[in-house]
Amino acid sequence: MDLYDQNNTIKGTVKRIYFEKHENGYKAVLLETEDEDETVVGKMPDVSVGDTIEADGSYFDHPKFGIQFKIDSYRIVPPEDSKAMERYLASGAVTGVGERLAAKIVAKFGDDTFRIIEEEPERLSEIKGISKRKAMEIAVSMEEKKDLRDAMVAMGTLGITQTMAVKIYDNYGPGYIEVLRTNPYKLAEDIRGIGFKTADDIAAAQGMDPASDDRCQAGLLYALLESSADGHCFLPTERLVKEAGELLGAGCGDIGKNLEQLVHAGRVKRDGDRIYLPGYYFAELSCARMLVEKNIPMLQNLPGLDEKIDRDIVKIAEENGMRADPFQVSAVRECVKNGLFILTGGPGTGKTTTINMIIGYFLNQGCEIVLAAPTGRAAKRMTEATGYEATTIHRLLGVASITDSSGGSAYFQKNAEDPLEADVIIIDEMSMVDIMLFKALLSAVPVSSRLILVGDASQLPSVGPGCVLNDICSCDFFPMVKLEKIFRQDETSNIVINAHKINRGEHIELSSSIKDFIFLERDDAGVIRQTIGWMISEKLPDYVHCTAFDIQVLTPGKKGALGVGELNRFLQQTLNPPADDKKEYIYGDTLFREGDKVMQTKNDYKLEWRTDSRLTSLSQSGTGVFNGDLGRIRSIDESSRVITVLFDDGRVASYSFSELDELDLSYAMTIHKSQGSEYPAVIIPVLDPSPLLVYRNLLYTGITRAKTCVVLLGSSETIGRMIDTKGSNDRYTSFTERLLQAKGS
C-alpha cells in the first residue's frame, strides 16, 4: 500500500508555526519527532509552540511545499521527559520563563518538573533567581494555559475561532460559560472585534430563540454602535428601527417594545425622535456646558487696550522675524482677550505663523503653555512648526484605561479634580477631535486657562463620532477668526492654490507638466498600480529628496483593485520583498514581514511601550498606542509569538500574535486615516471609487497631506465629480443645538 494512502500516527513537539488562519484555527506547523522534522497541517486551534502532540492522519505531496502530514485528529499530551519539558517551558508558553530559566528548572527537578509546578510550586523558589512570588506566577500561568486550552476546545464546538476564544476567556475568565449559555449577545457589547452577527451565530448554535428579547435588544444596541463607527452621535428612531430590523431579519420579535425596554433600563437615551447611546448624549451636553462656561473675557475691556495689545504683538513678531499681517494680529488679540478662541483656515493661510505669534506673546507674559494634537504625527508636525514640544491629547491627559460599551469612554488621570497645569492650552488639528475626546479635554482645562482651538473646518471630520469643529464654527457667539488670505506662494504653491480652488468648488488644471501637482490620466487599475510602484520606488524619492518609505499612497476607500488591501499587498512586494533574512507571519489575510510599514488601527490604552535607547538618551515607558500611529516592524519572534514595532516617534511596542487585528500595513492608507499627517509627497489613485466616496473634502484632505508634491492617477472626470460634490455623508449630531441651548440658559 502507498504511504500516502495509509492512516498514520505521529508524535512530536511543535517547533514552529509557519502559518495559521485565525478564522478557523487551521495551521501549518513544524513538528520535531524522534526521527526527523515533519510539516503537519490541519485545524489545530489550541496548539502552540512547545506543545507535544500526537496526531492521526496521512501524508500527501503538496505541489509547492512538498510532503506534508494532514491531520484527521490530534491530542495534546503532557511532555513525558525532562527534555520535552524544558523545550515546552523555553518556548514562551509560560509567562516569565525563558530558555535559561527553563534549563535551570528542569536541571533541578528533572522528569518531576511538571508535578512540582502543579502541586508544589513554592519549591521553585529553591532555584536561584526565582522568588516565591515568581514561583507562584509560573504556577498560575501554567494553570491558566490549561484552563484556556479547555475553554478553546469547548468554544470551538460552537464555531468560535481561536482568536475570538482567547478574547472571550480574557474578558470573562471561567465565567465565559455562563455568558455563552444565558446571553451570548453580551459578547458584542463587551468585547471589541465581536459583532452582533458573531454573537448571533453562537446563539443559533445553541438553539436560542431568534425572537427573544435579548436578541432584539442586542440588535438595536449593535445598530447604534455601528452608526457611531460612521460618525453619528444618534439615530432617528425610524432609521434605528429600520436598520435593526434589517440586521435581525424576519421573525425577530417586537422591535418597538424592546426599544422602549432599553430606554426604560437606561441603556439608550431618547431625546424627542433621537436615540443615543448614553455616552454620546451626555458628552454633547457636557461639552456644550463646559465650552460656553469657558467663553468668558480674560481682560477688562479698558480704553486703549486693543491698541496696546496690537503694539505688543507686532513688536514680538518683529523680534522673532515674523511679519505681522493685520488679520493675524487681530486673531492674536482676540486670543489674548478671551478664555476661548477658535482659529480656522486652509493651507497656506498663516495658521502656523499665527500660532507662533500667540506663543511668543504669552511667553513674553511669563505664561506656561502646552501644545497638543490628536495624533502623534500631528503633534510631531506641530513641534516642527513651532519649535516647542507638542504631545498628543491622550498623553497630555494621561490616559489610564478604557471601556467601550454604551458609547465608550476613556479614563484619564487629568480631569476636573486634577486639571492641567497651564496658562495657555493650544490644540491643533481640531477637525480630528471627536466628541468623547473633546469631553475629556474640556474636563481637564482649568477655568483660569486660555483654550485655543486650531483647525481646518474643510477637512474631513473625525474618525470617531461627532463633527466637533464644524459644529462649533456654525455658532456665531464664540470668538473666532477664519484666515483666508494665502501667504505661502513658494514651491508648493500649486498644492495650496489648488486646495483652495477645490474647497471653493472650482475645477483645477490637470496636467503632467505641473512640477508639484502632477496628474496622469489612466483608465486601468492594473496600469495605475504599476505606475504607483514606479513612482514610489524610482521617480519620486530623488525628486522630493526622501526615501520611498517616506512617500505615502492615499486612496479613497478600502476595497477594490485600488483599495487599501490590494495596494498594500502590491507595494509590500515592491518596497519590501521577501528575503532569507526577513521573518514573516501571516495573520488572517495579511502577511506581516520584518521591515514593513504598519499602522495602529484602534486605540489601545493598555498596550505597553518603551523608548528605544539607541534612538534617545531619555528612557521612558508607558501605556497607550493610538489609532493612526505609524511605524515599521522591527522583528518577528516566532518562539515568543510577538511582533515588535518601532513607531515614528521612537516608541517601541510588542504585539502578541493574537493582537495583530490592531495592526495593518500602511504603504497605502485611506485618506481619512491620513488626517493630521504631512508627507514629502502623496500619490492618490482616483479612478472609479464608490459613489459614497466621491465628494469634495475627501479630495481636499488628501492633497493637503502633501508638503512638496501631489501625484493624482486616474480619471479627470472622477476628479471633476468630486469637486462638484460639496459634502460627505451627513452626520447625526446635536452638538450645535446643545451649544445654543447652553448659551441661552
Side-chain angles (χ1 to χ4, degrees), residues 554-583:
L554 304 178
T555 185
K558 297 179 181 179
K559 299 179 181 178
L562 295 173
V564 169
E566 288 297 327
L567 284 173
N568 269 320
R569 281 186 280 273
F570 172 77
L571 291 169
Q572 181 189 50
Q573 187 68 22
T574 303
L575 300 178
N576 189 33
D580 291 341
D581 61 344
K582 295 178 185 176
K583 295 179 182 177

PDB file of all heavy atoms in Angstrom, residues 554-583:
ATOM      1  N   LEU A 554      -2.265  57.416  -0.763  1.00  0.00           N
ATOM      2  CA  LEU A 554      -3.561  57.649  -0.135  1.00  0.00           C
ATOM      3  C   LEU A 554      -4.645  57.280  -1.124  1.00  0.00           C
ATOM      4  O   LEU A 554      -4.586  57.671  -2.292  1.00  0.00           O
ATOM      5  CB  LEU A 554      -3.718  59.121   0.275  1.00  0.00           C
ATOM      6  CG  LEU A 554      -2.649  59.695   1.203  1.00  0.00           C
ATOM      7  CD1 LEU A 554      -2.917  61.168   1.465  1.00  0.00           C
ATOM      8  CD2 LEU A 554      -2.599  58.923   2.510  1.00  0.00           C
ATOM      9  N   THR A 555      -5.631  56.539  -0.669  1.00  0.00           N
ATOM     10  CA  THR A 555      -6.692  56.084  -1.566  1.00  0.00           C
ATOM     11  C   THR A 555      -8.048  56.351  -0.929  1.00  0.00           C
ATOM     12  O   THR A 555      -8.166  56.349   0.304  1.00  0.00           O
ATOM     13  CB  THR A 555      -6.507  54.586  -1.885  1.00  0.00           C
ATOM     14  OG1 THR A 555      -7.465  54.175  -2.857  1.00  0.00           O
ATOM     15  CG2 THR A 555      -6.641  53.724  -0.645  1.00  0.00           C
ATOM     16  N   PRO A 556      -9.066  56.631  -1.743  1.00  0.00           N
ATOM     17  CA  PRO A 556     -10.379  56.959  -1.173  1.00  0.00           C
ATOM     18  C   PRO A 556     -10.966  55.861  -0.291  1.00  0.00           C
ATOM     19  O   PRO A 556     -11.544  56.154   0.759  1.00  0.00           O
ATOM     20  CB  PRO A 556     -11.247  57.209  -2.409  1.00  0.00           C
ATOM     21  CG  PRO A 556     -10.285  57.655  -3.459  1.00  0.00           C
ATOM     22  CD  PRO A 556      -9.037  56.855  -3.210  1.00  0.00           C
ATOM     23  N   GLY A 557     -10.851  54.588  -0.707  1.00  0.00           N
ATOM     24  CA  GLY A 557     -11.549  53.527   0.015  1.00  0.00           C
ATOM     25  C   GLY A 557     -10.687  52.330   0.328  1.00  0.00           C
ATOM     26  O   GLY A 557      -9.526  52.237  -0.050  1.00  0.00           O
ATOM     27  N   LYS A 558     -11.295  51.376   1.029  1.00  0.00           N
ATOM     28  CA  LYS A 558     -10.586  50.180   1.456  1.00  0.00           C
ATOM     29  C   LYS A 558     -10.642  49.060   0.423  1.00  0.00           C
ATOM     30  O   LYS A 558      -9.741  48.237   0.341  1.00  0.00           O
ATOM     31  CB  LYS A 558     -11.184  49.668   2.775  1.00  0.00           C
ATOM     32  CG  LYS A 558     -11.049  50.627   3.940  1.00  0.00           C
ATOM     33  CD  LYS A 558     -11.689  50.039   5.193  1.00  0.00           C
ATOM     34  CE  LYS A 558     -11.577  50.990   6.373  1.00  0.00           C
ATOM     35  NZ  LYS A 558     -12.221  50.438   7.591  1.00  0.00           N
ATOM     36  N   LYS A 559     -11.724  49.012  -0.350  1.00  0.00           N
ATOM     37  CA  LYS A 559     -11.981  47.853  -1.198  1.00  0.00           C
ATOM     38  C   LYS A 559     -11.665  48.137  -2.658  1.00  0.00           C
ATOM     39  O   LYS A 559     -11.478  49.280  -3.060  1.00  0.00           O
ATOM     40  CB  LYS A 559     -13.439  47.412  -1.039  1.00  0.00           C
ATOM     41  CG  LYS A 559     -13.806  47.001   0.385  1.00  0.00           C
ATOM     42  CD  LYS A 559     -15.273  46.610   0.487  1.00  0.00           C
ATOM     43  CE  LYS A 559     -15.646  46.220   1.914  1.00  0.00           C
ATOM     44  NZ  LYS A 559     -17.074  45.877   2.042  1.00  0.00           N
ATOM     45  N   GLY A 560     -11.626  47.066  -3.449  1.00  0.00           N
ATOM     46  CA  GLY A 560     -11.428  47.191  -4.879  1.00  0.00           C
ATOM     47  C   GLY A 560      -9.973  47.092  -5.280  1.00  0.00           C
ATOM     48  O   GLY A 560      -9.062  46.994  -4.450  1.00  0.00           O
ATOM     49  N   ALA A 561      -9.741  47.143  -6.578  1.00  0.00           N
ATOM     50  CA  ALA A 561      -8.401  46.976  -7.130  1.00  0.00           C
ATOM     51  C   ALA A 561      -7.451  48.080  -6.708  1.00  0.00           C
ATOM     52  O   ALA A 561      -6.228  47.891  -6.693  1.00  0.00           O
ATOM     53  CB  ALA A 561      -8.482  46.912  -8.657  1.00  0.00           C
ATOM     54  N   LEU A 562      -7.996  49.254  -6.380  1.00  0.00           N
ATOM     55  CA  LEU A 562      -7.176  50.364  -5.918  1.00  0.00           C
ATOM     56  C   LEU A 562      -7.494  50.723  -4.473  1.00  0.00           C
ATOM     57  O   LEU A 562      -7.246  51.846  -4.026  1.00  0.00           O
ATOM     58  CB  LEU A 562      -7.363  51.582  -6.832  1.00  0.00           C
ATOM     59  CG  LEU A 562      -6.880  51.391  -8.275  1.00  0.00           C
ATOM     60  CD1 LEU A 562      -7.252  52.578  -9.137  1.00  0.00           C
ATOM     61  CD2 LEU A 562      -5.369  51.145  -8.315  1.00  0.00           C
ATOM     62  N   GLY A 563      -8.044  49.768  -3.732  1.00  0.00           N
ATOM     63  CA  GLY A 563      -8.322  49.966  -2.320  1.00  0.00           C
ATOM     64  C   GLY A 563      -7.089  49.685  -1.482  1.00  0.00           C
ATOM     65  O   GLY A 563      -6.049  49.228  -1.980  1.00  0.00           O
ATOM     66  N   VAL A 564      -7.194  49.912  -0.208  1.00  0.00           N
ATOM     67  CA  VAL A 564      -6.067  49.765   0.711  1.00  0.00           C
ATOM     68  C   VAL A 564      -5.477  48.356   0.674  1.00  0.00           C
ATOM     69  O   VAL A 564      -4.252  48.179   0.614  1.00  0.00           O
ATOM     70  CB  VAL A 564      -6.508  50.126   2.148  1.00  0.00           C
ATOM     71  CG1 VAL A 564      -5.441  49.715   3.155  1.00  0.00           C
ATOM     72  CG2 VAL A 564      -6.773  51.614   2.263  1.00  0.00           C
ATOM     73  N   GLY A 565      -6.353  47.332   0.691  1.00  0.00           N
ATOM     74  CA  GLY A 565      -5.862  45.957   0.744  1.00  0.00           C
ATOM     75  C   GLY A 565      -4.991  45.590  -0.435  1.00  0.00           C
ATOM     76  O   GLY A 565      -3.857  45.107  -0.272  1.00  0.00           O
ATOM     77  N   GLU A 566      -5.500  45.799  -1.644  1.00  0.00           N
ATOM     78  CA  GLU A 566      -4.755  45.424  -2.850  1.00  0.00           C
ATOM     79  C   GLU A 566      -3.488  46.251  -3.007  1.00  0.00           C
ATOM     80  O   GLU A 566      -2.433  45.733  -3.379  1.00  0.00           O
ATOM     81  CB  GLU A 566      -5.647  45.589  -4.087  1.00  0.00           C
ATOM     82  CG  GLU A 566      -6.749  44.553  -4.201  1.00  0.00           C
ATOM     83  CD  GLU A 566      -6.206  43.133  -4.355  1.00  0.00           C
ATOM     84  OE1 GLU A 566      -5.138  42.967  -4.978  1.00  0.00           O
ATOM     85  OE2 GLU A 566      -6.829  42.200  -3.837  1.00  0.00           O
ATOM     86  N   LEU A 567      -3.575  47.550  -2.742  1.00  0.00           N
ATOM     87  CA  LEU A 567      -2.391  48.397  -2.884  1.00  0.00           C
ATOM     88  C   LEU A 567      -1.311  48.025  -1.876  1.00  0.00           C
ATOM     89  O   LEU A 567      -0.120  48.028  -2.203  1.00  0.00           O
ATOM     90  CB  LEU A 567      -2.784  49.863  -2.719  1.00  0.00           C
ATOM     91  CG  LEU A 567      -3.506  50.494  -3.916  1.00  0.00           C
ATOM     92  CD1 LEU A 567      -3.996  51.899  -3.566  1.00  0.00           C
ATOM     93  CD2 LEU A 567      -2.587  50.551  -5.139  1.00  0.00           C
ATOM     94  N   ASN A 568      -1.706  47.690  -0.655  1.00  0.00           N
ATOM     95  CA  ASN A 568      -0.700  47.309   0.335  1.00  0.00           C
ATOM     96  C   ASN A 568       0.018  46.026  -0.055  1.00  0.00           C
ATOM     97  O   ASN A 568       1.238  45.899   0.123  1.00  0.00           O
ATOM     98  CB  ASN A 568      -1.339  47.171   1.714  1.00  0.00           C
ATOM     99  CG  ASN A 568      -1.293  48.463   2.508  1.00  0.00           C
ATOM    100  OD1 ASN A 568      -0.294  49.175   2.475  1.00  0.00           O
ATOM    101  ND2 ASN A 568      -2.364  48.770   3.205  1.00  0.00           N
ATOM    102  N   ARG A 569      -0.729  45.049  -0.565  1.00  0.00           N
ATOM    103  CA  ARG A 569      -0.083  43.805  -0.994  1.00  0.00           C
ATOM    104  C   ARG A 569       0.903  44.082  -2.134  1.00  0.00           C
ATOM    105  O   ARG A 569       2.017  43.542  -2.154  1.00  0.00           O
ATOM    106  CB  ARG A 569      -1.132  42.780  -1.407  1.00  0.00           C
ATOM    107  CG  ARG A 569      -1.786  42.074  -0.232  1.00  0.00           C
ATOM    108  CD  ARG A 569      -2.717  40.970  -0.671  1.00  0.00           C
ATOM    109  NE  ARG A 569      -4.002  41.484  -1.091  1.00  0.00           N
ATOM    110  CZ  ARG A 569      -5.032  41.710  -0.275  1.00  0.00           C
ATOM    111  NH1 ARG A 569      -4.912  41.477   1.014  1.00  0.00           N
ATOM    112  NH2 ARG A 569      -6.185  42.178  -0.736  1.00  0.00           N
ATOM    113  N   PHE A 570       0.492  44.917  -3.074  1.00  0.00           N
ATOM    114  CA  PHE A 570       1.358  45.235  -4.211  1.00  0.00           C
ATOM    115  C   PHE A 570       2.596  46.007  -3.764  1.00  0.00           C
ATOM    116  O   PHE A 570       3.729  45.700  -4.160  1.00  0.00           O
ATOM    117  CB  PHE A 570       0.568  46.047  -5.244  1.00  0.00           C
ATOM    118  CG  PHE A 570       1.408  46.595  -6.359  1.00  0.00           C
ATOM    119  CD1 PHE A 570       1.833  45.776  -7.391  1.00  0.00           C
ATOM    120  CD2 PHE A 570       1.796  47.931  -6.362  1.00  0.00           C
ATOM    121  CE1 PHE A 570       2.627  46.281  -8.416  1.00  0.00           C
ATOM    122  CE2 PHE A 570       2.585  48.444  -7.374  1.00  0.00           C
ATOM    123  CZ  PHE A 570       3.000  47.614  -8.408  1.00  0.00           C
ATOM    124  N   LEU A 571       2.409  47.023  -2.920  1.00  0.00           N
ATOM    125  CA  LEU A 571       3.529  47.865  -2.502  1.00  0.00           C
ATOM    126  C   LEU A 571       4.467  47.135  -1.546  1.00  0.00           C
ATOM    127  O   LEU A 571       5.675  47.400  -1.534  1.00  0.00           O
ATOM    128  CB  LEU A 571       2.999  49.148  -1.862  1.00  0.00           C
ATOM    129  CG  LEU A 571       2.317  50.107  -2.842  1.00  0.00           C
ATOM    130  CD1 LEU A 571       1.582  51.209  -2.096  1.00  0.00           C
ATOM    131  CD2 LEU A 571       3.335  50.700  -3.812  1.00  0.00           C
ATOM    132  N   GLN A 572       3.943  46.220  -0.758  1.00  0.00           N
ATOM    133  CA  GLN A 572       4.807  45.398   0.096  1.00  0.00           C
ATOM    134  C   GLN A 572       5.769  44.599  -0.772  1.00  0.00           C
ATOM    135  O   GLN A 572       6.972  44.519  -0.482  1.00  0.00           O
ATOM    136  CB  GLN A 572       3.957  44.461   0.947  1.00  0.00           C
ATOM    137  CG  GLN A 572       4.748  43.574   1.891  1.00  0.00           C
ATOM    138  CD  GLN A 572       3.871  42.519   2.552  1.00  0.00           C
ATOM    139  OE1 GLN A 572       3.125  41.801   1.886  1.00  0.00           O
ATOM    140  NE2 GLN A 572       3.928  42.449   3.872  1.00  0.00           N
ATOM    141  N   GLN A 573       5.260  44.018  -1.822  1.00  0.00           N
ATOM    142  CA  GLN A 573       6.098  43.233  -2.721  1.00  0.00           C
ATOM    143  C   GLN A 573       7.115  44.122  -3.438  1.00  0.00           C
ATOM    144  O   GLN A 573       8.248  43.706  -3.709  1.00  0.00           O
ATOM    145  CB  GLN A 573       5.224  42.510  -3.753  1.00  0.00           C
ATOM    146  CG  GLN A 573       5.963  41.524  -4.635  1.00  0.00           C
ATOM    147  CD  GLN A 573       6.475  40.312  -3.862  1.00  0.00           C
ATOM    148  OE1 GLN A 573       5.970  39.998  -2.793  1.00  0.00           O
ATOM    149  NE2 GLN A 573       7.479  39.634  -4.407  1.00  0.00           N
ATOM    150  N   THR A 574       6.714  45.361  -3.713  1.00  0.00           N
ATOM    151  CA  THR A 574       7.588  46.289  -4.431  1.00  0.00           C
ATOM    152  C   THR A 574       8.676  46.865  -3.531  1.00  0.00           C
ATOM    153  O   THR A 574       9.856  46.917  -3.911  1.00  0.00           O
ATOM    154  CB  THR A 574       6.758  47.449  -5.029  1.00  0.00           C
ATOM    155  OG1 THR A 574       5.751  46.914  -5.888  1.00  0.00           O
ATOM    156  CG2 THR A 574       7.639  48.412  -5.805  1.00  0.00           C
ATOM    157  N   LEU A 575       8.298  47.308  -2.330  1.00  0.00           N
ATOM    158  CA  LEU A 575       9.222  48.034  -1.459  1.00  0.00           C
ATOM    159  C   LEU A 575       9.897  47.161  -0.410  1.00  0.00           C
ATOM    160  O   LEU A 575      10.961  47.520   0.094  1.00  0.00           O
ATOM    161  CB  LEU A 575       8.483  49.184  -0.762  1.00  0.00           C
ATOM    162  CG  LEU A 575       7.868  50.244  -1.670  1.00  0.00           C
ATOM    163  CD1 LEU A 575       7.135  51.288  -0.838  1.00  0.00           C
ATOM    164  CD2 LEU A 575       8.936  50.908  -2.532  1.00  0.00           C
ATOM    165  N   ASN A 576       9.277  46.045  -0.052  1.00  0.00           N
ATOM    166  CA  ASN A 576       9.850  45.184   0.989  1.00  0.00           C
ATOM    167  C   ASN A 576       9.634  43.717   0.611  1.00  0.00           C
ATOM    168  O   ASN A 576       8.920  42.983   1.291  1.00  0.00           O
ATOM    169  CB  ASN A 576       9.192  45.493   2.341  1.00  0.00           C
ATOM    170  CG  ASN A 576       9.878  44.800   3.502  1.00  0.00           C
ATOM    171  OD1 ASN A 576      11.087  44.602   3.497  1.00  0.00           O
ATOM    172  ND2 ASN A 576       9.087  44.420   4.505  1.00  0.00           N
ATOM    173  N   PRO A 577      10.262  43.281  -0.473  1.00  0.00           N
ATOM    174  CA  PRO A 577      10.046  41.912  -0.956  1.00  0.00           C
ATOM    175  C   PRO A 577      10.605  40.886   0.015  1.00  0.00           C
ATOM    176  O   PRO A 577      11.421  41.214   0.885  1.00  0.00           O
ATOM    177  CB  PRO A 577      10.799  41.890  -2.291  1.00  0.00           C
ATOM    178  CG  PRO A 577      11.860  42.929  -2.137  1.00  0.00           C
ATOM    179  CD  PRO A 577      11.248  44.011  -1.289  1.00  0.00           C
ATOM    180  N   PRO A 578      10.172  39.623  -0.117  1.00  0.00           N
ATOM    181  CA  PRO A 578      10.686  38.578   0.782  1.00  0.00           C
ATOM    182  C   PRO A 578      12.186  38.387   0.617  1.00  0.00           C
ATOM    183  O   PRO A 578      12.737  38.590  -0.461  1.00  0.00           O
ATOM    184  CB  PRO A 578       9.901  37.331   0.356  1.00  0.00           C
ATOM    185  CG  PRO A 578       9.406  37.627  -1.018  1.00  0.00           C
ATOM    186  CD  PRO A 578       9.206  39.101  -1.089  1.00  0.00           C
ATOM    187  N   ALA A 579      12.821  38.011   1.711  1.00  0.00           N
ATOM    188  CA  ALA A 579      14.263  37.747   1.698  1.00  0.00           C
ATOM    189  C   ALA A 579      14.563  36.731   2.787  1.00  0.00           C
ATOM    190  O   ALA A 579      13.807  36.586   3.752  1.00  0.00           O
ATOM    191  CB  ALA A 579      15.054  39.036   1.918  1.00  0.00           C
ATOM    192  N   ASP A 580      15.681  36.038   2.650  1.00  0.00           N
ATOM    193  CA  ASP A 580      16.043  34.993   3.613  1.00  0.00           C
ATOM    194  C   ASP A 580      16.215  35.546   5.021  1.00  0.00           C
ATOM    195  O   ASP A 580      15.993  34.833   6.009  1.00  0.00           O
ATOM    196  CB  ASP A 580      17.336  34.298   3.166  1.00  0.00           C
ATOM    197  CG  ASP A 580      17.137  33.466   1.901  1.00  0.00           C
ATOM    198  OD1 ASP A 580      15.966  33.140   1.599  1.00  0.00           O
ATOM    199  OD2 ASP A 580      18.134  33.176   1.225  1.00  0.00           O
ATOM    200  N   ASP A 581      16.628  36.813   5.122  1.00  0.00           N
ATOM    201  CA  ASP A 581      16.883  37.379   6.446  1.00  0.00           C
ATOM    202  C   ASP A 581      15.681  38.130   7.016  1.00  0.00           C
ATOM    203  O   ASP A 581      15.796  38.798   8.041  1.00  0.00           O
ATOM    204  CB  ASP A 581      18.091  38.320   6.402  1.00  0.00           C
ATOM    205  CG  ASP A 581      17.879  39.491   5.457  1.00  0.00           C
ATOM    206  OD1 ASP A 581      16.953  39.429   4.618  1.00  0.00           O
ATOM    207  OD2 ASP A 581      18.637  40.477   5.559  1.00  0.00           O
ATOM    208  N   LYS A 582      14.528  38.044   6.356  1.00  0.00           N
ATOM    209  CA  LYS A 582      13.318  38.715   6.840  1.00  0.00           C
ATOM    210  C   LYS A 582      12.286  37.674   7.263  1.00  0.00           C
ATOM    211  O   LYS A 582      11.808  36.895   6.444  1.00  0.00           O
ATOM    212  CB  LYS A 582      12.714  39.607   5.750  1.00  0.00           C
ATOM    213  CG  LYS A 582      13.573  40.783   5.341  1.00  0.00           C
ATOM    214  CD  LYS A 582      12.878  41.563   4.222  1.00  0.00           C
ATOM    215  CE  LYS A 582      13.766  42.671   3.703  1.00  0.00           C
ATOM    216  NZ  LYS A 582      13.132  43.366   2.548  1.00  0.00           N
ATOM    217  N   LYS A 583      11.956  37.683   8.533  1.00  0.00           N
ATOM    218  CA  LYS A 583      10.939  36.758   9.021  1.00  0.00           C
ATOM    219  C   LYS A 583       9.550  37.272   8.661  1.00  0.00           C
ATOM    220  O   LYS A 583       9.329  38.473   8.534  1.00  0.00           O
ATOM    221  CB  LYS A 583      11.062  36.576  10.534  1.00  0.00           C
ATOM    222  CG  LYS A 583      12.359  35.905  10.963  1.00  0.00           C
ATOM    223  CD  LYS A 583      12.433  35.785  12.473  1.00  0.00           C
ATOM    224  CE  LYS A 583      13.752  35.162  12.910  1.00  0.00           C
ATOM    225  NZ  LYS A 583      13.871  35.100  14.383  1.00  0.00           N
TER     226      LYS A 583
END
